[in-house]
């Protein structure tokens, strides 16, 4: 079938899109020309004086100045000769001929309104006279604008000639020659600096005696000193973050190998390295090892800071660190050996392994609650709300998911949806939002925009997110009403996501220049953008119509990385780069932080966009009843992009671990004596977190 024919919906749609695009461009052109005419007519005529002469001459080039010197007569105006844009006419005539010739072809075969060729042709025929009308209006307005401009220029030249004639001949010539010499002036390399050695007795300049930074890596603002904290707490926090970074590198190394196996499936034949064992080892390691330990480490800094008191028990913090590390290590070894729960995604650890994780969180929950209970501030800051609630929710999630009484049949399916989605939204997302509510205002040195928006997002996320797990099982055997409730809850998530993203962006508003001068705020900004777009994507995936296409495809893989990586991980990186220099007094090389940022961001985009595009095509193939193997063949190039993007992300993690080493190495934090006493100071001044 010809692409441009009556039967071709894509061809007619393309013509319609081109017409709408041309119509938009023409309307914008008309708007600009109309504003220009308004500007020209609004300018009152100005008589020439010395100031006006200098202003006028400053806009003339060398040829015009020579012309004035030689003749001092107005230049002849070029005739008005409006030319119709040839390319636009050719395009319009082509589209018109294709559209009109298409009216004699086969009859309509589609039932949807905007997929009927007749409807599309009707819209095109309506748009064509509108477009031609706007086009000829543009020609007319262009001609009028040119005439106004020529009349104004001619008037200015006549006034200039009259003014120069009223001056003494030498004065007129001197004015023109002076401007002509000014155009010939060339600034010498040391004209503004001189040969003297730079001095800065007042301390206004920085690094005047050192080499300048590389042009592609401008110097960012250094971390500001903050009131000191207990050195023993700093040691605990850095231990959490160091372990988290180690699990990130190890877990994503496994993920990198998985991505390679998609394009080289015969890379090995070892049972321990099979996809079925590596994939859960990868996901659980980055979930419970990297993200969980990273969040808890940052939480051990935030909770005592916003409570204006010391942490209740450092020993309990070390116990939690040991238990969670043991859980991830034992769980990984079990998964690689083929010992698993077989209960669903992210639930592969057996219950004794997950019990270690839960015990560690119970200890931390008690620790945080006791710290908040002995706070010296009147209010409980919003970060504490999010962080403590996240720990409570994950404990509920783990107990429900591992208790055996409802783990048969449909009950297990419903529990799996609850566990999987609640784990992401009410543990990782909830905890991370609490972290952002502390570190984002701190980095901007201003209060959060709206405490009320934060509370709205808090309670509405609890209301809607806790019921959306079943949207992973649309068209399954679970009750239809439960599926519908999950879809409604997914739509309701628009409220907390919009409230939270708006709150963060309005906090940044007015300080956008700080983003360019900071190496932490770009990480926060990327996380905020993906927080909104990734969450809205989750809402879009929940509908039954989209589930038909996207479910069971690589689209869900791309979506999970867009959220867990684009939101959670970027927020954790931003907070880590904000906190660690304040604990150690050492910063990573800024070019290394920039390399980490761009490798991670580009890798994520290379990973997710091709997968989403290919998965959509794959889902359409399935709806058309095509053989499964056609989808596998279709995805081959997109899996190659997945491997490329994953490799960039993995390289960024190597750089991140190097940056962690540079920030900690030589600081002496881990050599701190346990006998040192804590040092507390006030951290809230005029609503600004210190």
């Amino acid at each position: 079938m010809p692409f441009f024919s009556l039967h071709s919906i894509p061809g007619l749609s393309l013509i319609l899109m081109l017409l709408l695009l041309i119509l938009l461009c023409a309307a914008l052109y008309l708007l600009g020309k109309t504003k220009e005419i308004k500007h020209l007519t609004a300018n009152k005529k100005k008589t020439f004086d010395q100031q006006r002469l200098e202003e006028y001459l400053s806009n003339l080039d060398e040829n015009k100045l020579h012309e004035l010197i030689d003749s001092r007569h107005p230049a002849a105006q070029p005739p008005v000769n409006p030319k119709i844009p040839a390319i636009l006419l050719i395009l319009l005539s082509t589209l018109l001929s294709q559209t009109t010739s298409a009216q004699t072809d086969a009859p309509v075969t589609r039932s949807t309104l905007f997929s009927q060729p007749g409807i599309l042709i009707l819209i095109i025929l309506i748009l064509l006279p509108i477009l031609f009308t706007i086009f000829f209006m543009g020609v007319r307005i262009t001609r009028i604008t040119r005439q106004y401009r020529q009349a104004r220029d001619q008037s200015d030249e006549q006034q200039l000639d009259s003014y120069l004639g009223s001056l003494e001949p030498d004065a007129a010539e001197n004015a023109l020659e002076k401007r002509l010499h000014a155009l010939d002036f060339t600034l010498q390399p040391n004209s503004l600096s001189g040969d003297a050695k730079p001095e800065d007795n007042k301390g206004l300049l920085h690094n005047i005696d050192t080499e300048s930074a590389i042009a592609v890596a401008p110097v960012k603002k250094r971390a500001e000193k903050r009131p000191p904290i207990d050195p023993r707490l700093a040691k605990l926090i850095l231990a959490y973050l160091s372990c988290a970074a180690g699990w990130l590198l190890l877990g994503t190394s496994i993920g990198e190998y998985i991505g390679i196996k998609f394009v080289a499936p015969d890379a090995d034949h070892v049972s321990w390295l099979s996809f079925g064992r590596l994939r859960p080892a990868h996901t659980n390691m980055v979930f419970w090892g990297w993200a969980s330990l990273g969040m808890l480490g940052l939480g051990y800094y935030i909770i005592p800071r916003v409570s204006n008191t010391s942490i209740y028990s450092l020993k309990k913090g070390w116990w939690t660190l040991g238990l969670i590390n043991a859980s991830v290590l034992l769980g990984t070894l079990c998964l690689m050996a083929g010992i698993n729960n077989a209960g669903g995604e992210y639930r592969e650890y057996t219950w004794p392994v997950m019990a270690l994780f839960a015990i560690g969180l119970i200890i931390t929950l008690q620790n945080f609650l006791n710290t908040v209970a002995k706070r010296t501030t009147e209010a409980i800051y919003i970060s504490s709300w999010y962080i403590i609630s996240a720990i409570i929710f994950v404990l509920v999630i783990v107990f429900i998911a591992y208790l055996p009484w409802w783990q048969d049949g449909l009950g297990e399916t419903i529990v799996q949806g609850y566990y999987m989605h609640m784990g992401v939204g009410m543990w990782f997302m909830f905890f991370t939002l609490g972290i952002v509510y502390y570190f984002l205002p701190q980095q901007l040195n201003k209060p959060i925009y709206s405490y009320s928006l934060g509370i709205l997002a808090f309670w509405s996320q609890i209301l809607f997110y806790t019921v959306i797990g079943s949207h992973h099982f649309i068209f399954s055997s679970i009750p239809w009403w439960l599926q519908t409730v999950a879809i409604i809850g997914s739509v309701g998530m628009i409220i907390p996501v919009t409230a939270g993203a708006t709150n963060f962006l309005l906090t940044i508003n007015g300080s956008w220049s700080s983003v360019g001068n900071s190496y932490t705020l770009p990480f926060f900004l990327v996380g905020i953008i993906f927080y909104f777009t990734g969450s809205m994507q989750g809402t879009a995936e929940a509908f039954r119509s989209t589930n038909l296409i996207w479910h069971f495809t690589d689209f869900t893989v791309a979506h999970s990385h867009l959220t867990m990586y684009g939101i959670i991980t970027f927020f954790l990186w931003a907070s880590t780069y904000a906190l660690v220099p304040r604990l150690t007094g050492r910063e990573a090389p800024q070019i290394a932080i920039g390399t980490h940022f761009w490798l991670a961001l580009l890798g994520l985009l290379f990973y997710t966009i091709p997968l989403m595009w290919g998965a959509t095509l794959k889902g359409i193939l399935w709806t058309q009843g095509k053989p499964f193997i056609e989808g596998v063949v279709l995805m081959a190039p997109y899996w190659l992009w997945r491997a490329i993007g994953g490799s960039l992300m993995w390289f960024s993690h190597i750089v991140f671990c190097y940056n962690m080493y540079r920030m900690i190495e030589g600081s002496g934090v881990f050599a701190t004596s346990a006998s040192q006493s804590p040092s507390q100071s006030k951290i809230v001044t005029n609503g600004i977190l210190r």
Side-chain angles (χ1 to χ4, degrees), residues 5 27 102 109 190 257 372 419 426 446 472 494 527 597 643 650 681:
S5 70
T109 59
N190 64 342
Y257 188 63
V372 173
Y419 169 84
M426 301 308 294
K446 60 192 294 190
H472 283 269
I494 295 175
F597 174 82
W650 180 63
S681 58

Side-chain angles (χ1 to χ4, degrees), residues 12-24 26 92 95-96 99 119-135:
L12 293 174
S13 300
L14 177 60
I15 294 173
L16 180 59
M17 292 299 103
L18 286 174
L19 284 176
L20 290 173
L21 180 61
I22 295 171
L23 192 65
L24 175 62
L92 291 176
L95 294 178
L96 179 60
T99 305
I119 295 297
L120 294 177
I121 292 174
L122 176 62
I123 297 174
I124 291 171
L125 293 177
I126 292 173
L127 288 177
L128 283 174
I130 298 175
L131 183 60
F132 276 111
T133 301
I134 293 179
F135 172 73

Side-chain angles (χ1 to χ4, degrees), residues 440-673:
L440 180 63
Q442 183 209 59
Q443 291 297 287
L444 293 167
N445 202 32
K446 60 192 294 190
I448 195 71
Y449 175 78
S450 172
Y451 202 91
S452 299
L453 278 177
I455 297 301
L456 171 64
F458 177 85
W459 287 112
S460 56
Q461 181 159 335
I462 291 176
L463 174 63
F464 293 113
Y465 209 103
T466 51
V467 298
I468 69 176
S470 296
H471 77 207
H472 283 269
F473 303 103
I474 300 297
F475 299 115
S476 69
S477 299
I478 68 175
W480 190 264
W481 66 266
L482 189 57
Q483 301 175 33
T484 304
V485 168
I487 296 172
I488 294 172
S490 301
V491 176
M493 278 301 297
I494 295 175
I495 297 174
V497 170
T498 304
T502 301
N503 207 6
F504 296 148
L505 290 175
L506 289 177
T507 302
I508 300 176
N509 190 37
S511 303
W512 290 105
S513 60
S514 300
V515 178
N517 296 326
S518 169
Y519 57 78
T520 60
L521 289 175
F523 285 94
F524 279 116
L525 185 58
V526 169
I528 294 168
I529 293 172
F530 282 123
Y531 172 52
F532 183 79
T533 56
S535 300
M536 291 299 101
Q537 184 189 74
T539 297
E541 288 181 76
F543 294 101
R544 291 186 172 94
S545 57
T546 52
N547 257 259
L548 284 173
I549 298 175
W550 288 332
H551 199 43
F552 297 120
T553 70
D554 293 80
F555 197 97
T556 55
V557 178
H559 171 68
S560 65
H561 282 77
L562 204 65
T563 51
M564 279 301 300
Y565 196 87
I567 305 173
I568 306 301
T569 299
F570 267 84
F571 279 152
L572 291 180
W573 283 332
S575 304
T576 299
Y577 283 129
L579 174 60
V580 175
R582 289 166 172 78
L583 300 179
T584 64
R586 300 174 62 88
E587 294 187 351
Q590 294 191 357
I591 190 170
I593 299 176
T595 301
H596 170 207
F597 174 82
W598 286 111
L599 283 176
L601 179 58
L602 293 176
L604 178 62
L605 295 177
F606 286 170
Y607 188 105
T608 55
I609 294 176
L611 279 187
M612 289 188 288
W613 180 264
T616 302
L617 299 178
K618 183 179 182 180
I620 292 174
L621 279 182
W622 289 355
T623 60
Q624 295 173 350
K626 301 294 183 181
F628 179 82
I629 192 62
E630 287 193 22
V632 177
V633 174
L634 170 72
M635 287 302 299
Y638 302 104
W639 285 334
L640 177 60
W641 278 107
R642 168 185 177 148
I644 295 172
S647 298
L648 292 176
M649 295 155 69
W650 180 63
F651 283 128
S652 78
H653 304 159
I654 296 176
V655 179
F656 171 63
C657 290
Y658 168 76
N659 291 338
M660 285 290 295
Y661 170 77
R662 288 294 300 271
M663 290 187 289
I664 297 175
E665 183 266 337
S667 64
V669 173
F670 286 105
T672 300
S673 172

Side-chain angles (χ1 to χ4, degrees), residues 252-280 282 336 554 607 632 635-636 638-644 646-647:
T252 52
S253 297
I254 296 175
E256 167 71 4
Y257 188 63
I258 294 172
I260 293 174
K261 294 191 75 169
F262 268 90
V263 293
D266 293 327
D268 68 77
H269 299 281
V270 181
S271 60
W272 275 56
L273 300 179
S274 63
F275 181 86
R277 300 190 186 184
L278 288 179
R279 205 269 176 173
H282 159 67
M336 298 289 283
D554 293 80
Y607 188 105
V632 177
M635 287 302 299
Y638 302 104
W639 285 334
L640 177 60
W641 278 107
R642 168 185 177 148
I644 295 172
S647 298

Side-chain angles (χ1 to χ4, degrees), residues 222-337:
R222 295 289 179 180
E224 297 179 0
K225 291 184 178 180
R226 297 287 177 177
I229 69 168
D230 184 351
R232 298 172 300 169
L233 178 59
K235 183 177 179 180
L236 174 65
I237 294 169
L238 291 175
Y240 270 92
L241 297 179
S242 299
C243 291
W247 287 120
L248 173 67
L249 183 58
L250 182 58
T252 52
S253 297
I254 296 175
E256 167 71 4
Y257 188 63
I258 294 172
I260 293 174
K261 294 191 75 169
F262 268 90
V263 293
D266 293 327
D268 68 77
H269 299 281
V270 181
S271 60
W272 275 56
L273 300 179
S274 63
F275 181 86
R277 300 190 186 184
L278 288 179
R279 205 269 176 173
H282 159 67
T283 55
N284 285 276
M285 198 177 293
V286 294
F287 268 40
W288 314 121
W290 151 243
S292 297
L293 284 177
M295 294 187 311
L296 288 169
L298 295 169
Y300 268 98
Y301 177 82
I302 295 172
I303 293 295
R305 300 299 284 176
V306 298
S307 301
N308 236 5
T309 187
S310 59
I311 193 69
Y312 179 74
S313 171
L314 287 169
K315 184 180 294 186
K316 291 181 184 296
W318 287 106
W319 270 103
T320 297
L321 178 63
L323 287 168
I324 292 181
N325 275 315
S327 173
V328 178
L329 178 60
L330 291 175
T332 301
L333 293 176
C334 289
L335 291 178
M336 298 289 283

Side-chain angles (χ1 to χ4, degrees), residues 174-227:
N174 288 339
L176 297 176
E177 291 289 346
K178 180 180 178 181
R179 179 57 189 165
L180 193 60
H181 286 311
L183 291 176
D184 293 334
F185 175 74
T186 302
L187 192 67
Q188 297 300 315
N190 64 342
S191 296
L192 299 178
S193 61
D195 298 323
K197 184 178 180 180
E199 294 184 7
D200 184 30
N201 297 326
K202 296 183 180 296
L204 300 177
L205 304 178
H206 300 279
N207 302 323
I208 59 176
D209 294 324
T210 60
E211 295 182 3
S212 60
I214 303 175
V216 296
V219 176
K220 304 291 185 180
K221 185 179 179 181
R222 295 289 179 180
E224 297 179 0
K225 291 184 178 180
R226 297 287 177 177

